[in-house]
Amino acid sequence: MLGRRQLLQRAAALAATQFLAGPLHARPAASRARAVVDPFALGVASGEPAADGFVLWTRIAGLNEDRLVGYEISEDEGFRRIARRGNALAPLARGGAVHLEARGLEAGRRYFYRFHYAGAVSRTGTVATIAATPAQLRLALTSCQHWEHGWFTAYRDMITNEAEVVLQVGDYIYERSFGGGPNVRSFGAPDPQTLDDYRARHALYRSDPDLAAAHAAIPFLVSWDDHEVENDYFADRAGYTGDPQAFVHRRAAAYRAYFEHMPLRPSVLRPDGEVRLYRSVNWSDLAALHILDTRQYRTPSACVAEDETADGPIARCALAGQDSGSMLGPEQEAWFGWAAATRPARWSLVTQQTLFSRLALPDGPESLYPQFWDGYAASRTRLLDALNTAKTRNAVILGGDVHSFWLNDVKRDFARPDGATVATEVVTSCLASRSGPEALFEPAPALNPHVRFRDNAHAGYVLLDIRSDRIEGSLRAVSNLADPQATCHSLRTFAIEDRRPGALI
């Protein structure tokens, strides 16, 4: 007899095989016919910057066979000094998505790119390679963009502030409507279940003009949280889908659609349907950015029963001290230990999805929120041990998910507030959604001495200027999510000094 996990693994593998099937290596058809509609309606994007290249993305929707798409990469906006040109495959089995890995380019240079198909030319995108010895890095940290809850005008502010990279740490799409209050627009469709459903939801998001402009103007580094599939799921355990096999099929569809719409390297899509998003990106010896995935490999928390969801706080978790679960899974934990030790830099930026620091709740010391790292305290300790073993110089932990801004001192032992701070935590608010639970978050500074700042009233993003001697940050708040012309302002600034962990408010 097969156990539940073995059955789910087999179902997941079957679902992934169905989506992977297709003429990926068939002879592509030439794009002779002229386009009746804009084949580049889903836009263009770049990602995964490196010293010698990057990934370029577009998607030609509505194909009925493999096609070749022309591309040009130029040193000038007028495309007179062409650095690369050629054809890239838009496979039918991948929904017509192009993931072009450009290599062999000059370090520290800005490039312009565009695609050609069926007589049509895409909009021009811009991207830059990483300099050999970068003096600084301007990074925009963002999370949680609900289509119905607000306009995505914060992306306009990122472009104006000339962010060099957008770091999107999860909930890029939302799979369902929720929360009270008026909406600014509607999904116009039920919750996605199939691959076509999830493709349509991603395509809807790409129709937002501010998001499309940001993808064209700035390279994105992405990872997912739960709403890219369904709320509060983790690994092969559904949040709300009742049938386990139906859930793994839904998850396979969501994973595939996410890959098809993101500027990711083709190698992240594995034959079994896994999309391996944990990776490191280095800006020479200035910054090492470690991107983690806290959903796909997460094991059950000791605080959550087999037949329960983890949505909301638990008043008493008797097994919290015996937690054997992992937010990352054993393979990713081992990889992080290796990455932290082998990619030294002045700043080690650890990107994950949610609130990392301890959050004491009003209900008492045994109360915790199991969706956060508090539900995985031993796993949190192992991550900090890996940073300590690697002799990390300056650790900064970045996150989102909680729909509020936070600046925290990360303690090796949160029970000793006067103990040494081992890292700084910076959490971005939602880019467009409702605020977090005020009853839990309002008393947080009084109950948690390591919380240096918290704001639960504003949506927005975090702008970080990373230099050799310090990081300067600004919490950028959207003036009005219901206004499509809304602007952003600086809600709070902070700085993190070299070799002095802690957010200096």
Side-chain angles (χ1 to χ4, degrees):
M1 294 290 292
L2 293 175
R4 176 180 181 274
R5 181 166 293 275
Q6 290 172 301
L7 284 169
L8 290 172
Q9 287 172 340
R10 286 195 175 186
L14 175 61
T17 301
Q18 291 171 343
F19 291 132
L20 286 167
L24 283 179
H25 303 292
R27 184 176 180 179
S31 57
R32 291 184 296 272
R34 299 189 69 83
V36 177
V37 296
D38 181 10
F40 300 109
L42 299 182
V44 301
S46 67
E48 306 301 309
D52 69 337
F54 33 75
V55 172
L56 300 181
W57 172 94
T58 192
R59 181 180 165 222
I60 312 297
L63 295 182
N64 56 17
E65 59 183 332
D66 289 3
R67 290 284 187 171
L68 290 176
V69 177
Y71 69 88
E72 295 174 290
I73 302 171
S74 175
E75 295 177 359
D76 71 298
E77 193 170 6
F79 289 85
R80 291 178 294 272
R81 299 191 302 276
I82 301 296
R84 294 282 188 282
R85 66 158 46 101
N87 294 311
L89 183 63
L92 175 62
R94 293 180 180 173
V98 174
H99 295 83
L100 171 66
E101 291 187 87
R103 297 189 179 97
L105 298 170
E106 184 179 341
R109 173 181 280 278
R110 186 184 188 197
Y111 288 95
F112 301 84
Y113 66 92
R114 63 188 180 188
F115 294 94
H116 301 261
Y117 178 76
V121 182
S122 74
R123 71 189 298 170
T124 297
T126 58
V127 62
T129 51
I130 297 173
T133 55
Q136 66 179 40
L137 166 65
R138 174 163 283 192
L139 184 151
L141 172 67
T142 181
S143 174
C144 302
Q145 48 194 38
H146 197 298
W147 175 267
E148 296 182 327
H149 290 182
W151 301 103
F152 297 168
T153 58
Y155 282 114
R156 204 177 306 159
D157 193 68
M158 296 178 201
I159 297 171
T160 299
N161 281 296
E162 298 182 332
E164 297 172 62
V165 175
V166 173
L167 181 59
Q168 212 288 336
V169 297
D171 294 341
Y172 182 95
I173 65 166
Y174 276 73
E175 86 292 6
R176 68 186 182 106
S177 304
F178 70 91
N183 292 330
V184 303
R185 50 189 172 179
S186 172
F187 287 135
D191 296 357
Q193 301 290 332
T194 68
L195 177 57
D196 284 343
D197 293 342
Y198 280 101
R199 282 173 173 169
R201 184 59 52 88
H202 277 277
L204 178 67
Y205 268 69
R206 289 306 181 96
S207 71
D208 182 274
D210 292 316
L211 178 56
H215 270 298
I218 313 169
F220 274 55
L221 289 168
V222 300
S223 188
W224 51 34
D225 197 17
D226 53 345
H227 286 288
E228 287 86 355
V229 180
E230 76 171 21
N231 188 38
D232 291 336
Y233 96 93
F234 58 88
D236 58 12
R237 184 165 168 174
Y240 293 92
T241 300
D243 181 353
Q245 284 196 316
F247 172 71
V248 295
H249 280 272
R250 182 181 187 182
R251 186 188 65 171
Y255 281 9
R256 184 53 179 265
Y258 183 89
F259 165 77
E260 290 176 353
H261 290 85
M262 294 298 158
L264 292 163
R265 299 188 187 281
S267 58
V268 306
L269 181 62
R270 303 304 174 94
D272 62 355
E274 174 192 9
V275 180
R276 185 163 295 182
L277 294 178
Y278 63 84
R279 61 210 189 273
S280 293
V281 180
N282 273 42
W283 276 261
S284 187
D285 60 355
L286 174 66
L289 181 60
H290 305 297
I291 302 172
L292 304 181
D293 175 355
T294 62
R295 281 291 166 185
Q296 186 171 191
Y297 316 104
R298 186 189 300 199
T299 61
S301 168
C303 295
V304 182
E306 176 71 21
D307 59 347
E308 294 179 348
T309 67
D311 185 13
I314 292 178
R316 185 175 184 275
C317 181
L319 299 177
Q322 307 170 29
D323 183 18
S324 60
S326 173
M327 280 286 255
L328 307 178
E331 185 174 347
Q332 187 178 186
E333 281 193 8
W335 168 85
F336 177 73
W338 168 83
T342 57
R343 283 164 168 72
R346 188 174 297 271
W347 300 97
S348 291
L349 310 177
V350 182
T351 301
Q352 46 81 54
Q353 279 64 59
T354 191
L355 191 68
F356 184 82
S357 296
R358 175 77 175 101
L359 182 65
L361 299 176
D363 288 343
E366 292 184 323
S367 177
L368 58 80
Y369 210 114
Q371 281 279 356
F372 304 159
W373 283 80
D374 280 344
Y376 298 84
S379 184
R380 176 170 58 200
T381 298
R382 290 193 296 272
L383 187 148
L384 294 176
D385 285 345
L387 290 173
N388 182 62
T389 301
K391 297 181 172 56
T392 302
R393 179 169 179 167
N394 295 300
V396 180
I397 298 174
L398 307 175
D401 176 52
V402 292
H403 296 203
S404 47
F405 290 109
W406 299 73
L407 298 173
N408 302 323
D409 290 337
V410 179
K411 303 290 184 177
R412 179 64 176 80
D413 182 357
F414 287 99
R416 297 178 55 214
D418 58 342
T421 297
V422 297
T424 298
E425 180 176 20
V426 180
V427 180
T428 184
S429 186
C430 51
L431 183 126
S433 192
R434 316 284 190 226
S435 297
E438 183 66 11
L440 295 180
F441 292 169
E442 190 277 331
L447 298 173
N448 300 271
H450 54 275
V451 173
R452 303 288 293 274
F453 178 79
R454 173 209 56 87
D455 175 85
N456 194 42
H458 296 87
Y461 74 101
V462 179
L463 190 65
L464 297 171
D465 280 313
I466 302 163
R467 301 198 296 265
S468 61
D469 60 336
R470 64 183 350 217
I471 293 177
E472 293 183 348
S474 174
L475 310 182
R476 306 285 296 169
V478 179
S479 59
N480 183 358
L481 285 176
D483 180 2
Q485 301 303 320
T487 58
C488 290
H489 63 277
S490 180
L491 179 69
R492 195 75 177 232
T493 61
F494 63 95
I496 309 168
E497 300 281 354
D498 179 27
R499 292 188 178 276
R500 289 185 59 191
L504 308 179
I505 308 305

